[in-house]
Amino acid sequence: AKGFRMRADEAIVITGKTPPEMLFFNYPLFLHTRQNSFFTGKTITESSVYPVVIGSGNTARRVMFGGLGDTINIASISTQGTPGGTAGNPYNQQFIIIGTPDRNTDTKIRTLAQKSGYPETVLNTEVIPSSVVKLGITQEADSLGIGQRNAMFIDKQACEAYVANPPVRVFRITPSTQGELNPFETPELRKRGNGITEMDYLPSLNELRKAILNKYKGYKAQEVTTDIWINESYPAIQMGLDNLGESRDTTYLGTDNDPNTVNPLTLPDDPNTFFIVYGVNHVKTGKVTYSNFVIYGSVMINGVIGVDSSQFTGSASDYMPGNSSADYLYAWKVSRHANGDPHCVEVPFPAHSNDFHGVGPASPLFVGFRAYLEPGTKVGPVWQELVYDRVIRFSK
C-alpha cells in the first residue's frame, strides 16, 4: 500500500502469519511522496530517467520512495517461533507489527493486543520517525507506503498458496480523540559490516576474468564499471531524490543506469553479442544470506530477468575446470538465446511498446546487484567489505 497520510498519533497495524520457509522476507515502511515546497530553492519539474515529480511548481509532489530506517525482517521479527526477535523458526508464525510515530499509541495498542490474547513476544514496533516525516492528513503532508518483500521460497507450492491468499491483514488505527503526543526518537540504525572483507578473493576473481577473456578472445570485449547504484535513504530524502524503495537489508550495486549516457549498454538480437556477469559468490564466502543480479531497462528501471545465488554453484568451473577457487565464484552468460547453456539467462523482448516485462534490442539496459542480510548483523553488508560484481559485454 502506498500514498496514504498519517496523523502524528495514528498507527498502521499489520497482523497475521509470516510466510512459509524462504531465505528472506521483510516489512518495510517508506516515505512515498513529499510536496515540492519542502525543498526551498530546489524546485524540480521533470526527470528524463524516472517520473519523480507529479504536477508542477511548489504544490507538485516528488516521488521519494525512501526507506524509513531499518526494517523488521526475517532475522529481527518477533513471532511465536522467534520470541522477542531471538533465533528460532520465523516461518508460518503469528506476529503483529505496529507502525507509528507515537509512544503513547504504541503502548495502547500493545496493551489491547495482550488483553486480546497476543503474547508480548509476538509484538513488533516499527517507528515512523516524526523528525524525518512531515506528518498530517492535509495536502502538504508527506504520503507513506508499506510493503512486504518475499524472496527465495523453499517450496514452490507453498509460495503460490501464500501469494494467492496471504494470511495477513492491515489496519489503520485512529484514536477517537487526540491526546498529548509522545513521539519516538529516530531509532538507532543497525551497524553494517563486521570488518571481514572479501579482498582475499580478488586474485581468484582476476584468474576468472582472464579465463573468460581467453575463452572469448575472438570477440570485442567491453569491461563495464560497477559502482554503488542506490545509496541509503536518509541522505536521499534530504536531497529530494527518488530512492526506488531502498532497503537497508541489502546493498545495491550496478552498472551505469543513465539511459542518456554515451554508448549505453544494449543487447541486440544477435548470437554474437552477450554479457558475462561474474563475481564472488557472497553466500559462499559467508558475507550474505543470498544475492542476485537482475537485468533492467534503463528508461523505466524495469527488472526483466535475474539469477540468484542458489544458481551460482558450479558456474565458474565452466571457465576454471579443476580449480578449487571456482567454488567461491560465479559466471553467468546473459544473452537473447541460451541455446541449451545451463549457465545462460535469456533476456526477453517486450511483447508491445508498453510491455515492461522485456527490453528492446536497441534499448539501454543495466545490471543491478543485491546482497541480502549479513549473518549475525540483521542488516545488509557494507559495500566496502564486498568484492564488487563485474560485467563484460562481448560482441563481433
Side-chain angles (χ1 to χ4, degrees), residues 320-367:
M320 304 167 67
N323 190 325
S324 60
S325 298
D327 292 343
Y328 293 89
L329 310 173
Y330 76 92
W332 269 75
K333 190 174 185 178
V334 177
S335 181
R336 292 295 183 174
H337 306 282
N339 296 320
D341 184 344
H343 295 140
C344 178
V345 62
E346 295 183 346
V347 178
F349 296 100
H352 49 79
S353 59
N354 293 320
D355 180 18
F356 298 135
H357 296 95
V359 180
S363 298
L365 53 78
F366 70 98
V367 185

Side-chain angles (χ1 to χ4, degrees), residues 132-346:
V132 179
V133 178
K134 184 176 176 58
L135 295 163
I137 55 175
T138 58
Q139 181 62 35
E140 65 270 15
D142 293 341
S143 69
L144 303 173
I146 57 174
Q148 179 179 347
R149 283 191 173 104
N150 303 315
M152 308 289 289
F153 282 89
I154 304 303
D155 183 326
K156 183 179 179 182
Q157 187 174 356
C159 162
E160 292 173 349
Y162 182 84
V163 172
N165 188 26
V168 175
R169 300 187 70 184
V170 181
F171 300 91
R172 179 183 188 133
I173 308 298
T174 304
S176 54
T177 58
Q178 185 167 340
E180 183 179 353
L181 295 176
N182 185 13
F184 281 105
E185 295 178 351
T186 302
E188 181 178 339
L189 296 175
R190 297 183 187 123
K191 302 296 190 297
R192 287 184 183 259
N194 59 10
I196 301 172
T197 78
E198 293 180 332
M199 295 301 110
D200 283 342
Y201 295 95
L202 274 175
S204 298
L205 188 63
N206 289 331
E207 284 185 52
L208 176 57
R209 170 184 174 271
K210 291 178 182 177
I212 293 169
L213 291 170
N214 184 61
K215 180 171 182 176
Y216 300 110
K217 58 186 175 184
Y219 292 78
K220 177 184 176 182
Q222 176 188 357
E223 299 192 66
V224 183
T225 299
T226 299
D227 203 345
I228 295 174
W229 167 27
I230 306 174
N231 218 314
E232 295 214 5
S233 288
Y234 281 165
I237 288 171
Q238 295 177 75
M239 292 185 284
L241 303 177
D242 182 353
N243 221 34
L244 303 174
E246 179 269 343
S247 167
R248 297 194 77 244
D249 293 329
T250 183
T251 52
Y252 299 86
L253 302 176
T255 60
D256 187 357
N257 70 324
D258 184 353
N260 298 313
T261 193
V262 177
N263 298 320
L265 284 182
T266 59
L267 187 59
D269 189 6
D270 177 358
N272 289 317
T273 301
F274 53 89
F275 305 151
I276 299 296
V277 179
Y278 70 105
V280 170
N281 185 340
H282 307 301
V283 175
K284 184 72 174 179
T285 66
K287 288 301 289 180
V288 304
T289 302
Y290 90 96
S291 62
N292 63 21
F293 73 83
V294 177
I295 309 301
Y296 288 86
S298 297
V299 176
M300 291 305 296
I301 318 183
N302 52 312
V304 298
I305 198 72
V307 179
D308 64 72
S309 50
S310 69
Q311 302 167 273
F312 288 169
T313 302
S315 59
S317 296
D318 295 349
Y319 302 90
M320 304 167 67
N323 190 325
S324 60
S325 298
D327 292 343
Y328 293 89
L329 310 173
Y330 76 92
W332 269 75
K333 190 174 185 178
V334 177
S335 181
R336 292 295 183 174
H337 306 282
N339 296 320
D341 184 344
H343 295 140
C344 178
V345 62
E346 295 183 346

Side-chain angles (χ1 to χ4, degrees), residues 18-27 71-79 82 85-91 149 151-152 190 249 289-290 372-373 378:
T18 56
E21 188 176 0
M22 60 175 57
L23 291 185
F24 176 80
F25 63 78
N26 71 1
Y27 299 89
T71 70
I72 293 172
N73 61 41
I74 189 172
S76 64
I77 191 168
S78 296
T79 70
T82 56
T86 57
N89 175 18
Y91 312 113
R149 283 191 173 104
M152 308 289 289
R190 297 183 187 123
D249 293 329
T289 302
Y290 90 96
Y372 274 90
L373 283 191
K378 301 184 179 183

Side-chain angles (χ1 to χ4, degrees), residues 96 109-119:
I96 292 180
I109 294 174
R110 282 175 168 266
T111 300
L112 289 171
Q114 290 176 75
K115 286 182 178 179
S116 300
Y118 292 94

